[in-house]
Amino acid sequence: MSFEVLLNATPGFEPSYAKPGAAGADLKSTESLTLKAGERALVKTGVKIAMPDGYVGLVHPRSGLAAKNGITVLNAPGTVDAGYRGEIMVTLLNTSNEDFVITAGDRIAQLVFQKFERADFIVVEELPE
């Protein structure tokens, strides 16, 4: 199944799938910075999207960055709602004891799309066993 996602991105920073069958599209940093040991930073991707209602974009850490360098997405997965039209920014956290240099164009996270259901909340006095 496929669906359309409208995209507005800084040229060269469009999300892309690294390999056939990849679930996550890579998001790249549009800025260069040093993420000091133990610190976090909100990193720009230059990407804005619009997806159909009933879908969510989930921002996940890149496993290689996490395993090799201790770099993760602080609020993983980050949620991009269908109605959000601002730039996708990624809150990265350096969990290591060493500073980590990010260069503009580096892949910093993955964007995974998921279909979801909305709940109808019903207030009751007691919950069933």
Side-chain angles (χ1 to χ4, degrees):
M1 178 182 152
S2 64
F3 61 98
E4 292 181 345
V5 173
L6 302 179
L7 175 70
N8 180 288
T10 302
F13 290 89
E14 300 86 354
S16 61
Y17 294 99
K19 297 178 183 175
D26 289 325
L27 293 170
K28 301 173 192 169
S29 173
T30 58
E31 54 191 327
S32 296
L33 62 119
T34 298
L35 191 56
K36 295 192 181 296
E39 289 189 345
R40 66 182 181 269
L42 192 58
V43 182
K44 296 179 179 183
T45 67
V47 174
K48 298 177 182 179
I49 62 171
M51 65 196 114
D53 191 37
Y55 286 86
V56 62
L58 301 172
V59 179
H60 289 270
R62 294 194 66 245
S63 58
L65 279 180
K68 295 175 189 169
N69 305 106
I71 306 300
T72 190
V73 175
L74 184 59
N75 60 326
T79 300
V80 181
D81 291 314
Y84 179 68
R85 295 297 182 268
E87 180 178 2
I88 296 173
M89 294 189 278
V90 180
T91 306
L92 291 179
L93 172 66
N94 183 350
T95 66
S96 77
N97 296 323
E98 298 180 19
D99 294 353
F100 184 76
V101 175
I102 298 170
T103 303
D106 285 353
R107 298 176 299 160
I108 58 168
Q110 295 184 35
L111 181 60
V112 176
F113 294 97
Q114 186 173 329
K115 191 174 177 78
F116 68 89
E117 300 283 333
R118 270 203 191 97
D120 290 324
F121 295 102
I122 302 169
V123 177
V124 296
E125 292 292 319
E126 290 185 33
L127 297 177
E129 291 295 321

